[in-house]
Amino acid sequence: MANYKQGHETMKGLGTLAALTTAALSLPGIADAADGVQFDYRSSFYREQNIESDKLAGGSASRFDIDSHYFSAKAPIDDDSSVGVALNYETLSGASPWFVLPDANGAPVQVMTAATIEERRIEMSGNYTHRPTDIIEMDWSLGFSGEDDYRAVHAGYKASLTPNESDGRPGQTTWSLGGGISDDVLRPTEGASAAFPDRIAKARRDSWTAQGGVSQIFGRTTTGQFSALYTRQSGYLSDPYKEAFVDGNREQDNRPDDRRQYALMLRARQYFEKIRGALHLDYRFYEDDWNITAHTHEVSWLQRFGRAVRGTLGLRYYSQSQAYFYQPFYEQARNDALASSDYRLSPHAAISARMKFDWEVADWTFRAGIESYRSGTSFTLENTNVEHPGLVDFETYSFGITKQFGR
Amino acid sequence: MHRELPVQFLRARLVLLLGITCTLCGCGIIQPVPAFERGVLASEEMAWNPDPAEATYRDHMHNSKEAAKGRPEAAGAGCGCY
C-alpha cells in the first residue's frame, strides 16, 4: 500500500538541521572528544506498542519498528584539530496513523495504514574541529540524509570562547555561538497520482537555526549552563501522507508554510565525591508561533561502580499544548483552510524512564540501555479534554561498542 | 487564534534567568577552581552529554513524537517518519 509514512515529514528538516547546530557549550577541563583515534558502533531497536482496539477505526493495530546501525570515527589531525565522520543506516517498517474519525459517540478514533511500510534511510556526516588558541574552539559540519521520498543537505558552524580569568587562571565561563542551515526536498510516494491526486508531487522546505549559550563552573563539583535557540522553518511544512477529517470529508494535512521556534534551556551537574555519583538536571522551555508551548524536565543519576562500570538511571517528563489549528477532526472547515490532526500537534504529555550501563575493559567500552516511553493526556500540565487516539508508547533497546586507540 | 511572536514573553524569561545568574555571582556562589582541581569536572559523569551518540539517538526519538525542538545537542537527522 502506498499510503505509508503517514507523516511527520515536518520533523525531517528540523532534526537534520539540529544535528548541525550543536553548540560547543563545553566547559574548560571537560573533554567531550577523544584524545586519540576512536571507533564507535551502536545498534538500536525501536518498538512501538500496538494501538488499543477501542481507539482503532481501521487499518493495522501494530505500529512501527526501526532498527538503527550507527558507525562513527574520530581522529586527531594535529595538536589543534581533529576530524570526525559518521554513517547511520536505518530500516523502518510497520504502520502509521493516517487520519482520525469521530465514532458513534463523537469520540475520535484512529485510522491507521496497513502494516506495509518498508523504508530505508542513510545519513552521512562529517565535521572538522579546530582550536586556533587555548581559549577558542570552532567546528564545521556537513551532512546528507536520504530516503526514497526525502533528501536533506545541511551545514553548520559553532564556536566557543573561554577567556582566562583576570589572574591568569583558565577561565570558568564559556560563551558559545552556533548556527546552521538545511535544504530539504520532499518527493512523496504516489504524489499527484490517480490514487492520491491531492498529494503533492514535490516540495521544498528550508530551515535555519541560531543559538547561543553560556556555561559556568561554579565549583570543583558543580557546573551550570544556560542556552537559547531560535529556528525558522519555511516552505512545505505539512505532512503529505496525513489527512484530516473536515466536515465529513478527508482532506490533505495543511499547515502554515512558516514556523518560528524558540527554546530556552537550563542544565546543571553536581558530583557527589563520597558516593561517586553525579546528578544531572535539565529543563527546557519551548514556544513557537503555532501557539505550542512545551516544558521538558529530565533528571538523571550516574553512578560509578568500581573503576570499570557506570550505571545511569533517568526520568523524563514532557508536556505540550496544542497548535492553534489542530483538531482531532473538524466539524466545519476553518476560515484559513488549515487542518491537521497529527498527534504531535495535539495537547499531551509523556513520561519516560531509562536505564543504561557502560562497562570499560582496557580500551574497549561496552554499552547497553533500555528506555520506556508513555504518552497521554491525564498528566499534562494544562487541562486537556480530548485525548488524541494515536498517541504512541514505545521502547528502545540500545547496544554499543567503542574502541579507543592511543588514549 | 494565531498568536503574535512571543518576544516579550521570552524577553521576560531571559531577564529573569540573567537576574538569577547575576544574583548567584553576587552571592559568591562561583568559587575559583584552579586547573589542577578540575579532575572531577573532567570526568565523563560530569559531561553535559556523557554519551553523545546516545543523546543524539534519544533526542531524535523524542523529537519525532513531540512538537517541541531545541535542545542544543539535539541531533540525529532524518524525519522520524513513523
Side-chain angles (χ1 to χ4, degrees), chain B residues 5-16:
Chain B
L5 294 177
V7 173
Q8 290 183 334
F9 185 70
L10 288 160
R11 188 179 296 151
R13 278 171 166 72
L14 280 170
V15 170
L16 177 64

PDB file of all heavy atoms in Angstrom, chain B residues 5-16:
ATOM      1  N   LEU B   5       4.318  36.739  17.774  1.00  0.00           N
ATOM      2  CA  LEU B   5       5.573  36.155  18.228  1.00  0.00           C
ATOM      3  C   LEU B   5       5.798  36.467  19.712  1.00  0.00           C
ATOM      4  O   LEU B   5       5.584  37.589  20.152  1.00  0.00           O
ATOM      5  CB  LEU B   5       6.729  36.736  17.415  1.00  0.00           C
ATOM      6  CG  LEU B   5       6.719  36.369  15.943  1.00  0.00           C
ATOM      7  CD1 LEU B   5       7.850  37.059  15.232  1.00  0.00           C
ATOM      8  CD2 LEU B   5       6.822  34.883  15.774  1.00  0.00           C
ATOM      9  N   PRO B   6       6.203  35.475  20.462  1.00  0.00           N
ATOM     10  CA  PRO B   6       6.297  35.634  21.910  1.00  0.00           C
ATOM     11  C   PRO B   6       7.580  36.330  22.350  1.00  0.00           C
ATOM     12  O   PRO B   6       8.261  35.890  23.266  1.00  0.00           O
ATOM     13  CB  PRO B   6       6.261  34.190  22.397  1.00  0.00           C
ATOM     14  CG  PRO B   6       6.905  33.425  21.303  1.00  0.00           C
ATOM     15  CD  PRO B   6       6.521  34.118  20.023  1.00  0.00           C
ATOM     16  N   VAL B   7       7.917  37.419  21.705  1.00  0.00           N
ATOM     17  CA  VAL B   7       9.173  38.081  22.021  1.00  0.00           C
ATOM     18  C   VAL B   7       9.168  38.621  23.442  1.00  0.00           C
ATOM     19  O   VAL B   7      10.110  38.410  24.224  1.00  0.00           O
ATOM     20  CB  VAL B   7       9.441  39.219  21.012  1.00  0.00           C
ATOM     21  CG1 VAL B   7      10.657  40.022  21.438  1.00  0.00           C
ATOM     22  CG2 VAL B   7       9.629  38.642  19.624  1.00  0.00           C
ATOM     23  N   GLN B   8       8.085  39.302  23.814  1.00  0.00           N
ATOM     24  CA  GLN B   8       8.039  39.873  25.153  1.00  0.00           C
ATOM     25  C   GLN B   8       8.078  38.775  26.208  1.00  0.00           C
ATOM     26  O   GLN B   8       8.720  38.907  27.246  1.00  0.00           O
ATOM     27  CB  GLN B   8       6.779  40.709  25.313  1.00  0.00           C
ATOM     28  CG  GLN B   8       6.823  41.999  24.482  1.00  0.00           C
ATOM     29  CD  GLN B   8       5.590  42.845  24.707  1.00  0.00           C
ATOM     30  OE1 GLN B   8       4.540  42.320  25.066  1.00  0.00           O
ATOM     31  NE2 GLN B   8       5.725  44.138  24.494  1.00  0.00           N
ATOM     32  N   PHE B   9       7.367  37.700  25.918  1.00  0.00           N
ATOM     33  CA  PHE B   9       7.345  36.578  26.846  1.00  0.00           C
ATOM     34  C   PHE B   9       8.755  36.020  27.056  1.00  0.00           C
ATOM     35  O   PHE B   9       9.192  35.786  28.176  1.00  0.00           O
ATOM     36  CB  PHE B   9       6.433  35.508  26.256  1.00  0.00           C
ATOM     37  CG  PHE B   9       6.206  34.334  27.144  1.00  0.00           C
ATOM     38  CD1 PHE B   9       5.449  34.452  28.285  1.00  0.00           C
ATOM     39  CD2 PHE B   9       6.757  33.105  26.826  1.00  0.00           C
ATOM     40  CE1 PHE B   9       5.236  33.369  29.105  1.00  0.00           C
ATOM     41  CE2 PHE B   9       6.543  32.014  27.635  1.00  0.00           C
ATOM     42  CZ  PHE B   9       5.767  32.157  28.786  1.00  0.00           C
ATOM     43  N   LEU B  10       9.451  35.830  25.966  1.00  0.00           N
ATOM     44  CA  LEU B  10      10.808  35.290  26.063  1.00  0.00           C
ATOM     45  C   LEU B  10      11.751  36.295  26.704  1.00  0.00           C
ATOM     46  O   LEU B  10      12.627  35.930  27.480  1.00  0.00           O
ATOM     47  CB  LEU B  10      11.303  34.912  24.667  1.00  0.00           C
ATOM     48  CG  LEU B  10      10.635  33.663  24.105  1.00  0.00           C
ATOM     49  CD1 LEU B  10      10.786  33.614  22.598  1.00  0.00           C
ATOM     50  CD2 LEU B  10      11.223  32.419  24.728  1.00  0.00           C
ATOM     51  N   ARG B  11      11.557  37.549  26.385  1.00  0.00           N
ATOM     52  CA  ARG B  11      12.429  38.565  26.960  1.00  0.00           C
ATOM     53  C   ARG B  11      12.310  38.573  28.487  1.00  0.00           C
ATOM     54  O   ARG B  11      13.297  38.687  29.196  1.00  0.00           O
ATOM     55  CB  ARG B  11      12.064  39.932  26.373  1.00  0.00           C
ATOM     56  CG  ARG B  11      13.024  41.036  26.755  1.00  0.00           C
ATOM     57  CD  ARG B  11      12.605  42.338  26.115  1.00  0.00           C
ATOM     58  NE  ARG B  11      12.683  42.266  24.666  1.00  0.00           N
ATOM     59  CZ  ARG B  11      11.910  42.980  23.851  1.00  0.00           C
ATOM     60  NH1 ARG B  11      11.003  43.795  24.336  1.00  0.00           N
ATOM     61  NH2 ARG B  11      12.059  42.873  22.540  1.00  0.00           N
ATOM     62  N   ALA B  12      11.073  38.427  28.965  1.00  0.00           N
ATOM     63  CA  ALA B  12      10.875  38.413  30.415  1.00  0.00           C
ATOM     64  C   ALA B  12      11.611  37.239  31.049  1.00  0.00           C
ATOM     65  O   ALA B  12      12.231  37.373  32.103  1.00  0.00           O
ATOM     66  CB  ALA B  12       9.380  38.334  30.713  1.00  0.00           C
ATOM     67  N   ARG B  13      11.569  36.097  30.396  1.00  0.00           N
ATOM     68  CA  ARG B  13      12.271  34.932  30.944  1.00  0.00           C
ATOM     69  C   ARG B  13      13.790  35.117  30.906  1.00  0.00           C
ATOM     70  O   ARG B  13      14.501  34.721  31.818  1.00  0.00           O
ATOM     71  CB  ARG B  13      11.882  33.675  30.160  1.00  0.00           C
ATOM     72  CG  ARG B  13      10.579  33.098  30.625  1.00  0.00           C
ATOM     73  CD  ARG B  13      10.093  31.997  29.709  1.00  0.00           C
ATOM     74  NE  ARG B  13       9.040  31.231  30.330  1.00  0.00           N
ATOM     75  CZ  ARG B  13       7.809  31.681  30.528  1.00  0.00           C
ATOM     76  NH1 ARG B  13       7.494  32.900  30.145  1.00  0.00           N
ATOM     77  NH2 ARG B  13       6.891  30.917  31.124  1.00  0.00           N
ATOM     78  N   LEU B  14      14.260  35.706  29.818  1.00  0.00           N
ATOM     79  CA  LEU B  14      15.701  35.940  29.734  1.00  0.00           C
ATOM     80  C   LEU B  14      16.159  36.869  30.843  1.00  0.00           C
ATOM     81  O   LEU B  14      17.181  36.632  31.490  1.00  0.00           O
ATOM     82  CB  LEU B  14      16.036  36.547  28.364  1.00  0.00           C
ATOM     83  CG  LEU B  14      16.130  35.567  27.200  1.00  0.00           C
ATOM     84  CD1 LEU B  14      16.212  36.332  25.880  1.00  0.00           C
ATOM     85  CD2 LEU B  14      17.336  34.663  27.354  1.00  0.00           C
ATOM     86  N   VAL B  15      15.403  37.929  31.077  1.00  0.00           N
ATOM     87  CA  VAL B  15      15.763  38.865  32.148  1.00  0.00           C
ATOM     88  C   VAL B  15      15.765  38.142  33.487  1.00  0.00           C
ATOM     89  O   VAL B  15      16.672  38.316  34.312  1.00  0.00           O
ATOM     90  CB  VAL B  15      14.781  40.052  32.153  1.00  0.00           C
ATOM     91  CG1 VAL B  15      14.974  40.898  33.405  1.00  0.00           C
ATOM     92  CG2 VAL B  15      14.970  40.908  30.909  1.00  0.00           C
ATOM     93  N   LEU B  16      14.764  37.291  33.677  1.00  0.00           N
ATOM     94  CA  LEU B  16      14.690  36.554  34.939  1.00  0.00           C
ATOM     95  C   LEU B  16      15.900  35.638  35.115  1.00  0.00           C
ATOM     96  O   LEU B  16      16.530  35.601  36.177  1.00  0.00           O
ATOM     97  CB  LEU B  16      13.397  35.732  34.980  1.00  0.00           C
ATOM     98  CG  LEU B  16      13.206  34.835  36.210  1.00  0.00           C
ATOM     99  CD1 LEU B  16      13.110  35.690  37.467  1.00  0.00           C
ATOM    100  CD2 LEU B  16      11.955  33.980  36.046  1.00  0.00           C
TER     101      LEU B  16
END
